[in-house]
Amino acid sequence: MTNHAVGAAPTEPTGSRGVALPAPPLRDLALSRQRLDRAGARRTDPGLLERLWASPATRVLRVHAGRAPVVRTARGLQLVLRAPGEVPAPGAEDLVLYLGTDGRAEFAAVVSADAEPEVADGSAGDEEWRGLREVGDALGDRDAGLLTEAVSMGNWHAVTRFSPRTGEPLTATTAGWVKAEPGGKEHFPRTDAAVIMAVISPDDRLLLGHQPVWPANRYSVLAGFVEPGECFEDTVRREVLEEAGVVVGPDPEDVRYLGSQPWPFPASLMVGFAARAVTTDIRVDGEEIALARWFSRAELAQEVRAGRVLPPPAVSIARRLIEAWFGGPLPVPGDDTWT
């Protein structure tokens, strides 16, 4: 099928190895649209956060329990960014973080584990508190990057409170980007690499699976974490075999990189692939994957229209991998978030 979808990956001509794989890159992935200069060298400037907080030109993003205030404008959904004097003073447990600059303004964040504040006097206007899963694909490039960066760092800080060496409490330094022990030993942010793959059969069907913890009828492509000492391509082959009992071809061209997307739920980097299967018998592991099916394009379209298959949300790279194979947007009757 010729792929004319905006931002979708074109497919290669069918070659000697049979079924065609989508070709890279996946464009404009919702959470991969960082348009900000993170200005990492500035994080070590003494007193950077204090100077930013003293400047009315600084713009501050508030994040509470992974949610940030947004407002609907004539130009679309936007983050509510305020001057430091217009936001509540950070609490003792809050993370104050330097996010970077767009060349016109400097950006910082106050990240709290607490739920968003309730405002009953009408002063919040049209503000709504929303999370990345809900609005990540609707925000502009700069705002999507700001929120992804702030949520990612907030999640790391929330689980990195004590030294894994000594058990001592850690203190945020370097404009929020480092945690330090009392003796000075530094700990840096970590990201968990995971592969996510569109597995395609020899007769050009797509493999989708259902996890036991998902809502009924939710299906997505397979995914799994990279193990120590393992490359991405080997992880693709291992995870597909472990979760569904399907064998991916051994040749280098049987696994193709398509793109990547941060997924801070809590701290993953999803690395997307297309993979050629050489077997089609399915044997799910029953733990991570409860059900799995092969779908033709016609079957998937019919099931999605009828509501018998709920695809992953538009904000996810999983959805984009499916649509790269499908050849365009899925016919979802009413798109939803991953709930």
Side-chain angles (χ1 to χ4, degrees):
M1 175 181 291
T2 302
N3 190 333
H4 299 294
V6 175
T11 55
E12 66 178 359
T14 301
S16 59
R17 293 206 50 82
V19 65
L21 297 181
L26 294 173
R27 302 183 185 277
D28 300 322
L29 291 163
L31 305 186
S32 299
R33 295 175 288 139
Q34 176 68 261
R35 296 295 183 267
L36 201 71
D37 178 2
R38 296 194 177 192
R42 295 200 58 203
R43 299 169 187 164
T44 58
D45 290 354
L48 172 64
L49 291 177
E50 289 79 4
R51 291 196 306 274
L52 290 175
W53 231 252
S55 171
T58 301
R59 288 295 171 261
V60 180
L61 170 64
R62 296 165 291 157
V63 179
H64 283 258
R67 297 160 70 87
V70 299
V71 64
R72 302 182 187 279
T73 73
R75 295 189 298 172
L77 204 65
Q78 295 182 335
L79 291 176
V80 176
L81 303 167
R82 300 195 181 279
E86 298 175 345
V87 302
E93 299 297 321
D94 293 344
L95 167 66
V96 181
L97 177 70
Y98 177 57
L99 296 175
T101 177
D102 65 358
R104 297 183 299 274
E106 303 272 9
F107 297 90
V110 178
V111 185
S112 173
D114 298 333
E116 64 267 19
E118 294 185 12
V119 180
D121 59 5
S123 60
D126 295 329
E127 289 184 11
E128 306 171 31
W129 288 80
R130 296 288 182 264
L132 272 173
R133 281 189 173 98
E134 300 169 275
V135 300
D137 60 323
L139 293 171
D141 292 349
R142 184 202 67 182
D143 285 2
L146 285 170
L147 186 53
T148 302
E149 183 180 354
V151 169
S152 299
M153 287 298 295
N155 289 344
W156 176 68
H157 276 266
V159 299
T160 312
R161 301 176 59 193
F162 301 94
S163 167
R165 302 185 322 126
T166 67
E168 295 175 289
L170 299 174
T171 302
T173 66
T174 319
W177 283 86
V178 174
K179 301 293 281 282
E181 298 177 8
K185 171 67 177 179
E186 294 182 326
H187 298 266
F188 296 88
R190 294 290 184 265
T191 297
D192 299 322
V195 297
I196 184 166
M197 44 274 180
V199 180
I200 302 170
S201 70
D203 59 350
D204 205 14
R205 292 178 294 160
L206 181 68
L207 180 64
L208 298 180
H210 171 79
Q211 290 191 10
V213 297
W214 289 347
N217 298 331
R218 175 74 73 188
Y219 280 83
S220 186
V221 290
L222 304 186
F225 287 106
V226 180
E227 294 185 344
E230 190 175 46
C231 69
F232 291 137
E233 293 81 359
D234 285 347
T235 308
V236 169
R237 293 182 172 92
R238 175 181 56 78
E239 286 287 344
V240 174
L241 183 61
E242 288 178 356
E243 294 185 352
V246 171
V247 177
V248 170
D251 293 340
E253 54 271 26
D254 288 328
V255 179
R256 171 176 291 174
Y257 170 77
L258 297 182
S260 65
Q261 182 188 59
W263 192 247
F265 307 110
S268 296
L269 175 67
M270 306 304 296
V271 186
F273 290 88
R276 290 188 180 97
V278 295
T279 66
T280 57
D281 289 341
I282 295 174
R283 300 184 305 277
V284 297
D285 63 8
E287 297 180 3
E288 293 189 55
I289 299 296
L291 300 168
R293 290 177 55 188
W294 294 104
F295 291 86
S296 69
R297 291 177 178 84
E299 289 169 341
L300 183 58
Q302 181 179 2
E303 297 291 273
V304 168
R305 288 192 186 98
R308 292 188 293 267
V309 166
L310 304 178
V315 70
S316 66
I317 189 174
R319 175 75 157 265
R320 296 296 302 279
L321 287 168
I322 294 171
E323 291 180 339
W325 164 83
F326 186 72
L330 292 174
V332 180
D335 207 354
D336 62 341
T337 57
W338 195 297
T339 54

